[in-house]
Every structure is written in structure tokens, then in C-alpha cells.
Amino acid sequence: EEIFDQIRDAEQRGAILRTVNLISNELPIGVADAGFTVELEVQDQQDGDLLSELDVFVGFNDNTVPDGGTDLDVAESLFSTIPASAFTTGEFGLPRTMVDIPLSEFLSFTGVQEADLFGGDQFTVRFDLKLTDGRVFSNDDNSGTITGSYFSSPFLYTPTVICPVGEDQFVGMYMIEQLSSGNFGDVWGDVMVELSIGETSTQRVFSAVYLPQFGIGNGPAEFAFDFICESIEVPGGQGAGLTCGNGGIFLGPVTSIDKGTYDPFDDSVFTIAFSEDETVDCGGPAEVTVRMTKQ
């Protein structure tokens, strides 16, 4: 009859759809057996006994509409339903299932033609986790607590169309040469960095000290960029490691159409265009271009 016991008895927890293994989240152009594959695990207040079924929704985001062209976005709709009986028991005693959607099924379901695909386009795969008590959980119920680390429960995945980049391409030592000035002159200065493969096969990352010419004493910060079919895309929200006191200086994508470029058959040199101070921490964004030359 203690207050704690009353709170505990009245407590109601949600449910988690944990990513056990994201096997494939890329759709290389021209690869016949490309597809999306993920292994998922359900965790609820009764160790999976509340699981009723898992609904799978599929849609398409046309992110490469040419000037004057037609936007081929396809709103998500129900693709399939996986009943609790189709789940197996994983190593922690919780229900697990494998979801595998080949590119051919993405195309057939959405009506998108393979010829209309280009690097950067994305299919969407979203899950509704349904419990026996009638509750439903999906990505709108998420918080930062369950989207990262162990739980890794995003409920929403965006398999992306890519042009394949070999694991031996655009890796190793590169010299940075700044071709346009940022807010404070050089961003990294003329410095040698080591490129390595990032979170996907088409992403590369390096670490460098931001504004080294001022000798502030800040350490290297990681910078990532993606090779998207002869264009280079820079993800937003990348911390530079310094601040002017307004939340931090972040590097991100440029707003102009003049993005970095590369030759998929020659990794000796390429350019990256990015926005410095994209959240206006130090007065406003500046579009910067650097040349990367392999050593």
C-alpha cells in the first residue's frame, strides 16, 4: 500500500522494435538483387507476449526531380502484415523476425519505373507495432532514448538508391585545398587527412581541426559526406567543435545547386561543397568548396 507500489502497479510501458541487424539499406543502381533487409526484435512489458502483429508500410521519395520534371513521390501504404505466429524466439527470449524487400518488389508495389531511379531517391519502410491490448507504436512515438544505442528502434527506414562505390575507392590519404573562403578564412587549412568508409558504402569520413589558424586548442572533429552518382552530398548538423555561444557551429549541405563533384572511375581528385555555420551561430552560413587530392 505504499505510494511506490501504487505507481508501479499503475505503470504502463510502451513497446520497442529493436534493430538487431540492418543487413542492407542501400539500393545500388544496376544491381539485380538489390534490396532492403533488416532483422527486428520486439520488446514489451511482457517480454513479447503482447505482440499481435507488425504492419509494414512502403512509399517512395523522389529526391531528384529535374527542372520541369514530374515529382514521382508515392505516399506510403500497407505493404504486408507479419503476425506474431511468424516471429521466432531470439537469444534473449524475445520475438524476432527478418524483413526482406527486394528492389523488384519496391518497384512493383509503388509503380515506380527502374529507369526513373537516380542516386539520392529513397523508398520508405515504416513499421506499426500492434499489441494485443489494442495499442499501436511507430516512429511518431519515438524519443531519442530509444532511437540510438542498444534499443536502436527507429520504426522507419529509408533504403536509398545509390551508384556503387568500391571499398577501395576514395580511401587513404588526401590533401585538402580550400577553393573558397569561409566565415573566418580557412576552414581546415591545407592539411592531410585520412578518408575511411562511413556508415554506408558510399559515405566517407575524415577528422580535422576546425579553424587551426587561430590556435584555439580544439581537437579534431569528424566530417562525413556521401557520393551520390557523380554529386557529393553533405549531411547536415555536423559539429565543427567550436561555438560563438549560440548553440555551436555546424557544417551541412549547401543550398545552391553547385555541389561537389567526383569521377566514379577516378578517385585521384574531387571537390566537396558545404555550408559553414548552417545554424547561424556566428553570423550566418557561408558556402565553402574544397578540393581533395589523393596522395
Side-chain angles (χ1 to χ4, degrees), residues 15-59:
I16 294 166
L17 186 66
R18 188 168 73 89
T19 305
V20 177
N21 188 11
L22 184 55
I23 298 170
S24 174
N25 199 33
E26 298 177 333
L27 304 171
I29 291 176
V31 177
D33 60 351
F36 166 80
T37 305
V38 65
E39 184 180 10
L40 302 169
E41 180 178 78
V42 174
Q43 184 175 351
D44 57 43
Q45 198 164 3
Q46 296 183 18
D47 293 331
D49 288 344
L50 289 177
L51 171 63
S52 173
E53 59 189 18
L54 186 67
D55 282 346
V56 185
F57 294 83
V58 166

Side-chain angles (χ1 to χ4, degrees), residues 21 23-25 27 33-40 56 58 79-80 82 97-106 125 127:
N21 188 11
I23 298 170
S24 174
N25 199 33
L27 304 171
D33 60 351
F36 166 80
T37 305
V38 65
E39 184 180 10
L40 302 169
V56 185
V58 166
F79 176 79
S80 64
I82 306 171
T97 189
M98 190 80 72
V99 178
D100 184 11
I101 307 177
L103 174 59
S104 58
E105 293 187 21
F106 277 124
V125 181
F127 297 98

Side-chain angles (χ1 to χ4, degrees), residues 55-248:
D55 282 346
V56 185
F57 294 83
V58 166
F60 177 70
N61 292 332
D62 184 4
N63 295 324
T64 54
V65 183
D67 291 342
T70 302
D71 191 329
L72 302 177
D73 283 358
V74 178
E76 68 166 28
S77 56
L78 182 62
F79 176 79
S80 64
T81 297
I82 306 171
S85 58
F87 283 69
T88 59
T89 302
E91 61 180 296
F92 304 116
L94 300 173
R96 286 190 180 186
T97 189
M98 190 80 72
V99 178
D100 184 11
I101 307 177
L103 174 59
S104 58
E105 293 187 21
F106 277 124
L107 296 172
S108 175
F109 183 76
T110 60
V112 176
Q113 301 298 310
E114 187 169 8
D116 292 324
L117 296 179
F118 195 73
D121 291 338
Q122 294 176 320
F123 290 90
T124 59
V125 181
R126 186 180 64 82
F127 297 98
D128 271 0
L129 176 58
K130 295 184 175 181
L131 304 186
T132 56
D133 60 13
R135 290 182 295 158
V136 180
F137 293 91
S138 192
N139 60 305
D140 287 341
D141 304 297
N142 267 353
S143 68
T145 306
I146 66 171
T147 55
S149 66
Y150 168 80
F151 292 114
S152 187
S153 181
F155 286 93
L156 174 66
Y157 302 82
T158 54
T160 302
V161 179
I162 66 168
C163 293
V165 177
E167 61 181 17
D168 60 342
Q169 290 183 293
F170 304 99
V171 292
M173 304 307 296
Y174 279 77
M175 175 64 73
I176 299 178
E177 178 188 359
Q178 190 155 325
L179 302 181
S180 60
S181 295
N183 287 324
F184 308 99
D186 287 344
V187 174
W188 298 296
D190 294 339
V191 64
M192 192 90 69
V193 295
E194 183 174 9
L195 268 58
S196 58
I197 298 174
E199 294 181 350
T200 67
S201 67
T202 58
Q203 186 176 88
R204 297 296 183 267
V205 298
F206 65 82
S207 293
V209 175
Y210 177 60
L211 305 183
Q213 64 270 30
F214 296 117
I216 298 172
N218 51 306
E222 188 174 88
F223 180 76
F225 53 94
D226 299 289
F227 291 97
I228 307 293
C229 298
E230 300 184 21
S231 177
I232 292 180
E233 302 283 345
V234 175
Q238 301 193 63
L242 292 177
T243 180
C244 287
N246 299 306

